[in-house]
């Protein structure tokens, strides 16, 4: 009976996470348009509903009803599968994230994590890396050079910033001695001064920069840079297949925001009179706002500039940080 209860609980958690995060990802598109409009002295969406709030519904209807075009010479099986990989990997990575502290419902204790595995950080990083195959396969299976260039830039981003993000996390993980996100959160339960960002500020900065590249956000959105390669890997896509790529992108933004909040910013531990659940929401909202702010403020970089930044600046800094942390621990 206990096993049946665990299975039912896991299924309910997975459905709730899928529904809530998908809704958050859709709402993030509206928030992004409003925030960018405010920073650029525009109004943004205003015509559909009060202050444009129903623009979400209009965009959803458009995506679901728009004609699904597949180019005649595309590699059709791969072309069709590629958009599914992006959201699938994004939501799978969330299985190891503890979203909130434990709470009790009718005497039953609920742990807000789908699967509490002791290598949660490694699992999330691995699954997120697989997600890069979505734009890679989409670009390679399409029929135009812009999509192929976008796919080639996907490989550049994968080789560059996956290494940086992994090395950036090594130093804080050396301090904690565990790959479980629950253990990492509990390591910082001593209050504001125990947050890992104070002990590992360089690791925080490196991981945040790598997060911008892994989520394909400005200034590292090279694989769909509209000024150079139209829409990159997604040039040949339309309708819901196009929408799946961006559901995956915004879901990845939420995942990165949770990772940064849990690993460096105290996680879901309470702060003063603010409960832990409210604190984690404040932290991820602030980091997602940072994503939007950077898009409004920073220009794009070239692929060669991104690789130079990774291999000659960020990676040496990550290695030096690991060395210093090791010396301190010894």
């Amino acid at each position: 009976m206990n096993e049946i209860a665990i299975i039912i609980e896991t299924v309910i958690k997975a459905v709730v996470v899928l529904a809530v995060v998908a809704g958050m990802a859709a709402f993030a598109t509206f928030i992004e348009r409003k925030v960018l409009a405010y920073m650029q002295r525009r109004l943004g969406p205003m015509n559909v509903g009060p202050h444009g709030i129903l623009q979400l519904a209009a965009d959803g209807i458009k995506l679901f009803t728009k004609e699904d075009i597949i180019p005649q010479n595309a590699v059709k099986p791969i072309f069709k599968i590629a958009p599914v990989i992006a959201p699938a990997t994004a939501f799978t990575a969330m299985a190891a994230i503890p979203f909130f502290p434990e709470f009790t419902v009718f005497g039953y204790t609920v742990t807000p994590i789908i699967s509490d595995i002791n290598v949660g950080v490694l699992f999330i990083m691995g699954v997120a890396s697989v997600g890069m195959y979505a734009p890679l396969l989409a670009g390679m299976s399409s029929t135009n050079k812009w999509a192929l260039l976008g796919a080639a830039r996907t490989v550049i981003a994968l080789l560059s910033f996956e290494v940086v993000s992994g090395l950036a996390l090594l130093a804080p993980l050396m301090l904690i001695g565990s790959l479980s996100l629950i253990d990492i959160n509990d390591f910082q339960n001593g209050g504001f001064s125990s947050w890992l960002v104070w002990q590992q500020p360089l690791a925080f900065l490196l991981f945040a920069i790598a997060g911008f590249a892994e989520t394909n956000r400005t200034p590292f959105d090279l694989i769909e840079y509209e000024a150079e390669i139209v829409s990159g890997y997604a040039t040949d896509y339309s309708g819901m297949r196009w929408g799946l790529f961006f559901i995956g992108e915004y879901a990845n933004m939420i995942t990165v925001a949770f990772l940064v909040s849990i690993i460096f910013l105290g996680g879901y531990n309470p702060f003063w009179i603010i409960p832990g659940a409210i604190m984690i929401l404040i932290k991820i909202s602030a980091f997602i706002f940072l994503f939007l702010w950077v898009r409004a403020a920073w220009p794009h970089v070239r692929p060669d500039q991104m690789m130079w930044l990774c291999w000659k600046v960020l990676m040496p800094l990550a290695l030096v940080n690991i060395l210093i942390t090791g010396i301190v621990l010894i």
Side-chain angles (χ1 to χ4, degrees), residues 177-211:
S178 173
L179 290 169
S180 169
L181 285 170
I182 293 180
D183 291 342
I184 294 171
N185 178 85
D186 293 343
F187 183 83
Q188 305 171 82
N189 61 8
F192 182 70
S193 60
S194 68
W195 290 7
L196 270 174
V197 68
W198 310 125
Q199 300 178 55
Q200 292 289 332
L202 182 57
F204 168 74
L205 182 62
L206 294 174
F207 187 74
I209 293 174

Side-chain angles (χ1 to χ4, degrees), residues 6-278:
I6 292 173
I7 292 173
I8 293 174
E9 179 186 350
T10 303
V11 171
I12 292 173
K13 288 178 183 178
V15 171
V16 169
V17 168
L18 184 64
V20 172
V21 174
M24 289 173 62
F27 188 65
T29 62
F30 174 79
I31 293 298
E32 178 166 18
R33 294 170 71 179
K34 280 294 189 181
V35 169
L36 293 179
Y38 176 77
M39 292 183 174
Q40 297 164 356
R41 297 185 180 182
R42 298 184 290 109
L43 292 176
M46 288 293 290
N47 294 330
V48 188
H51 294 280
I53 189 65
L54 295 181
Q55 186 67 45
L56 283 171
D59 290 342
I61 293 171
K62 180 184 74 172
L63 286 179
F64 276 106
T65 58
K66 196 173 183 179
E67 183 181 1
D68 181 23
I69 299 173
I70 300 177
Q72 182 176 2
N73 296 323
V75 183
K76 291 180 176 58
I78 298 178
F79 188 88
K80 293 177 180 179
I81 292 172
V84 180
I85 297 175
T89 53
F91 288 116
T92 302
M94 293 180 180
I97 294 178
F99 295 97
F100 299 109
E102 290 184 352
F103 59 92
T104 303
V105 178
F106 302 117
Y108 185 83
T109 301
V110 179
T111 305
I113 181 173
I114 297 174
S115 179
D116 182 12
I117 54 178
N118 59 0
V119 288
V121 173
L122 188 61
F123 173 81
I124 294 170
M125 298 292 289
V127 174
S129 299
V130 174
M132 297 296 284
Y133 281 97
L136 175 62
L137 293 176
M140 293 178 66
S141 64
S142 296
T143 59
N144 69 79
K145 59 184 178 181
W146 309 123
L148 186 59
L149 284 172
R153 291 181 175 188
T154 302
V155 178
I156 292 174
L158 180 64
L159 291 177
S160 300
F161 281 96
E162 287 295 336
V163 178
V164 173
S165 61
L167 291 176
L169 288 182
L170 274 181
L173 293 177
M174 289 165 63
L175 296 175
I176 299 164
S178 173
L179 290 169
S180 169
L181 285 170
I182 293 180
D183 291 342
I184 294 171
N185 178 85
D186 293 343
F187 183 83
Q188 305 171 82
N189 61 8
F192 182 70
S193 60
S194 68
W195 290 7
L196 270 174
V197 68
W198 310 125
Q199 300 178 55
Q200 292 289 332
L202 182 57
F204 168 74
L205 182 62
L206 294 174
F207 187 74
I209 293 174
F212 277 84
E214 291 181 14
T215 54
N216 188 34
R217 299 293 302 181
T218 306
F220 305 115
D221 59 334
L222 302 175
I223 64 177
E224 51 168 309
Y225 186 19
E226 66 276 1
E228 292 180 357
I229 53 175
V230 187
S231 189
Y233 69 93
T235 301
D236 281 347
Y237 283 90
S238 63
M240 200 56 208
R241 294 188 199 277
W242 179 88
L244 286 174
F245 282 116
F246 295 94
I247 291 174
E249 178 179 316
Y250 283 92
N252 279 326
M253 287 170 55
I254 295 170
T255 299
V256 170
F258 266 106
L259 283 178
V260 171
S261 301
I262 293 173
I263 297 175
F264 294 101
L265 302 179
Y268 49 77
N269 292 306
F271 178 73
W272 194 36
I273 61 172
I274 306 175
I278 302 298

